[in-house]
Amino acid sequence: MVIKENQTDVYALGQHISMSVHKARRVIDQIRGRSYEETLIILEYMPYLACYPIFKVVYSAAANARSLLGSNEAHLVISKAEVNEGTTMKRLKLRARGRSYRIKKPTCHIMIVITDISRIEYEETFWFKPEKFFERDSMQDLKKTKGKNQSRTREEHDMYNTGGVWHKK
């Protein structure tokens, strides 16, 4: 596996785990976005059977981060956790009078992505730039319109014609 210089994400994938998707998602929703150490504590003390396979996948993702990135466990955060539906095994259950019923045994695929937050470079980005709001490119925005809407400026008139916030006239 080739490692990029600025790689911060490592993943682990558990496939064909014999469990319903709904049961696994109930646990996955609790650990998404948490730190690695906090996740291990949550999975250890939750009373669901789905916790053990998820625990193994999380532990495997952390081991991948340790070996590939050389990162410390204290800096790991679960950035993405998802459960997808796998193949469904179909079995027959024998019943009375020579009959049989079909049993569906669902499987799921669990993917855990762990991010090393110590490797992320923080850039200062400003989403609000005051220069854009206080300068006018031209005086056309302030000119009065002709006709019945003389009290409005063109800027207001265009806002009402395009629908504004509610997309209604």
Side-chain angles (χ1 to χ4, degrees), residues 156-169:
E156 293 172 351
H157 185 68
D158 288 342
M159 182 179 75
Y160 287 115
N161 280 345
T162 57
V165 180
W166 299 282
H167 303 293
K168 293 180 182 176
K169 284 191 175 182

Side-chain angles (χ1 to χ4, degrees), residues 1 15 29 38 45 61 105 123 135 140 156:
M1 179 177 224
Q15 291 186 326
D29 290 339
E38 188 179 357
Y45 292 112
K105 295 187 175 184
E123 297 177 3
E135 67 184 28
Q140 290 181 356
E156 293 172 351

Side-chain angles (χ1 to χ4, degrees), residues 135-146:
E135 67 184 28
R136 299 277 183 188
D137 294 334
S138 63
M139 294 302 291
Q140 290 181 356
D141 294 339
L142 299 177
K143 286 185 181 176
K144 300 281 184 182
T145 58
K146 296 180 182 178

Side-chain angles (χ1 to χ4, degrees), residues 34-162:
R34 297 189 187 257
S35 68
Y36 171 69
E37 295 168 345
E38 188 179 357
T39 300
L40 293 183
I41 293 170
I42 289 171
L43 290 175
E44 189 174 350
Y45 292 112
M46 279 182 84
Y48 301 120
L49 290 175
C51 290
Y52 183 67
I54 294 172
F55 179 85
K56 286 171 60 174
V57 175
V58 168
Y59 192 79
S60 175
N64 290 344
R66 269 184 260 125
S67 66
L68 295 176
L69 301 178
S71 58
N72 189 4
E73 293 178 356
H75 300 291
L76 298 178
V77 173
I78 296 178
S79 60
K80 187 177 178 183
E82 61 182 38
V83 179
N84 296 322
E85 192 172 342
T87 57
T88 302
M89 295 187 294
K90 292 160 178 101
R91 300 289 182 256
L92 292 177
K93 173 118 176 150
L94 301 177
R95 301 304 297 250
R97 295 185 176 181
R99 298 179 186 179
S100 62
Y101 287 115
R102 196 169 223 188
I103 294 176
K104 293 180 180 177
K105 295 187 175 184
T107 62
C108 64
H109 306 311
I110 299 171
M111 187 176 76
I112 304 287
V113 179
I114 288 187
T115 303
D116 188 359
I117 57 174
S118 66
R119 291 177 168 255
I120 296 176
E121 297 175 355
Y122 293 101
E123 297 177 3
E124 293 185 19
T125 56
F126 296 102
W127 60 272
F128 175 73
K129 296 188 179 178
E131 306 89 39
K132 288 189 175 183
F133 291 102
F134 295 119
E135 67 184 28
R136 299 277 183 188
D137 294 334
S138 63
M139 294 302 291
Q140 290 181 356
D141 294 339
L142 299 177
K143 286 185 181 176
K144 300 281 184 182
T145 58
K146 296 180 182 178
K148 63 179 183 179
N149 298 323
Q150 289 181 358
S151 61
R152 297 185 196 163
T153 62
R154 269 197 194 155
E155 188 175 278
E156 293 172 351
H157 185 68
D158 288 342
M159 182 179 75
Y160 287 115
N161 280 345
T162 57

